[in-house]
Every structure is written in C-alpha cells, then in structure tokens.
Amino acid sequence: MIIQTQYSHEKIWTDTTETDLLKMIEEELGDEDSKGVLLYIKETIVNGKVISVGTCKFRKKGGK
C-alpha cells in the first residue's frame, strides 16, 4: 500500500516512504509512539479514510 501525505499548507498529495512517514509523525507528535500511530494510520486508511495528525493528512493512494 502506498501512503500519501499532505500538509495543511499544500494543495497536492505526495507519495511518502515509511521512513519519512515516521519522521513526519515524530515532528507532529514529539515523543509519542510514532510506530504505533503509523500502524493506526495504516489500519484506518485501508478503507479510504483520510487521517489528520497535527497539520499533516494521510491517505491510501488511489482511494478505496
């Protein structure tokens, strides 16, 4: 599954690697469990939902 991200100030979605996803989550949440949050994001977006974490949104590429 390819995950796309978009910051609130951006207009286009960008394909993002898992390493970059973890960095982005750490930037948004600080010392929280970034791997746990990434796992939650992956489980939730599989059905076509968009998840927001701070100023960043996550979605599965291609929608449903």
Side-chain angles (χ1 to χ4, degrees), residues 45-61:
I45 65 173
V46 86
N47 295 325
K49 292 185 178 181
V50 174
I51 298 293
S52 295
V53 176
T55 60
C56 189
K57 293 190 254 180
F58 302 86
R59 75 176 184 184
K60 181 176 90 170
K61 185 173 186 173

Side-chain angles (χ1 to χ4, degrees), residues 21-22 25-26 29-39:
L21 289 168
L22 288 170
I25 293 168
E26 287 173 2
L29 298 179
D31 294 334
E32 297 296 322
D33 178 22
S34 57
K35 289 183 182 180
V37 173
L38 180 57
L39 179 64

Side-chain angles (χ1 to χ4, degrees), residues 10-49:
E10 297 175 328
K11 295 189 184 240
I12 56 172
W13 289 89
T14 306
D15 294 353
T16 310
T17 64
E18 189 161 327
T19 305
D20 289 338
L21 289 168
L22 288 170
K23 288 179 187 176
M24 294 168 87
I25 293 168
E26 287 173 2
E27 288 174 3
E28 294 294 323
L29 298 179
D31 294 334
E32 297 296 322
D33 178 22
S34 57
K35 289 183 182 180
V37 173
L38 180 57
L39 179 64
Y40 170 76
I41 290 170
K42 286 180 176 181
E43 291 173 352
T44 306
I45 65 173
V46 86
N47 295 325
K49 292 185 178 181

